[in-house]
Amino acid sequence: MQQDEVAARVRQVIDATGVSAREFARRIVIDPSKLSRSLNGTRRFTAAELARIADIGGVDVGRLIGATAGAAGEVTAGAAATPSTVRSPSPSRSPSPSPEGGRPLQIVRETVRLIAERGFHAVRVADIAAACHTSTAAIHYHFPGRDELLEAAVRWCMDEDTRRRAEATAGTRHAGDELRLLIELQTPRTEQQRRQWCVWLDLWAEAARSTTVGRLHVEYYRQWRGTVADVIRRGVGQGVFRPVDADGAALALTALIDGLASQVLATEPGLPGTGAPAMHDALIAHVDACLTAPVSG
């Protein structure tokens, strides 16, 4: 089948990059499970996804696709690509050097930064293009619509948050130390942490309106609460934490983190008792009061 031929060409691109399929999915900013299903032939690549694959792999998008657009922007193999399938960046502008990680990641990173500064609905495609030193056509080439761009921004934030937690806690064996480290990572102390929380607050509002973003929101919090619950279970086994319902404790702690963080961000900086240090102290006090096992003897 010609769909299988497209998948085979994509596999060649992935192999040539020398990274895992999961890392490649991160670079083209899609769910790894979507990439897996497309490679296995149970899902069609969209035109925009193939454009991003071509960008990351440094291959000609027309040769990679060899297809026309089907329903809902999906790719139907068998014919030559048309302008309606994949729109190329404006030829009137000289292409800028490919940024680190490829153009799609640059677009998403700049989108996240602008959302943090202005809010999603105040960010125009023209603003993102200017930040990336490219054209609006180049933005639409990779992300045809705002919904797809928002979904990519949400997924990138999720992946970055998960990656930072994994790197920071690697090798930590004491469950109490790991839980305190997770709290530290979620406390909006630095400018980068505050920027990330501003994005999360904006995305919470979008999750209430968008089914797609809502599903990503549910997925992220299932993973995040699962991480905290696993640490608590390990702490109970180590005798660090008292016997508790790990899932219930994780739900309470993550909700407390969200509530306190949103109050920190909504409060004028510098007011006594309202900043990140006060939030951190409150969370540690909660852990000590509700989870930490009493010292015997």
Side-chain angles (χ1 to χ4, degrees), residues 64-142:
L64 177 64
I65 297 176
T68 55
E74 292 186 343
V75 174
T76 304
T82 66
S84 63
T85 305
V86 178
R87 290 170 287 180
S88 298
S90 173
S92 62
R93 299 183 57 153
S94 299
S96 57
S98 183
E100 181 181 359
R103 181 67 71 189
L105 267 183
Q106 182 200 30
I107 292 170
V108 171
R109 282 192 289 257
E110 289 300 322
T111 299
V112 169
R113 181 181 65 81
L114 291 170
I115 291 174
E117 293 176 358
R118 309 178 189 179
F120 178 72
H121 289 287
V123 177
R124 303 172 302 161
V125 172
D127 299 326
I128 300 169
C132 295
H133 305 288
T134 189
S135 65
T136 56
I139 305 298
H140 288 304
Y141 173 74
H142 293 294

Side-chain angles (χ1 to χ4, degrees), residues 226-243:
T227 296
V228 175
D230 288 343
V231 174
I232 293 173
R233 287 191 189 93
R234 192 163 66 255
V236 172
Q238 293 174 351
V240 174
F241 300 140
R242 69 185 72 210

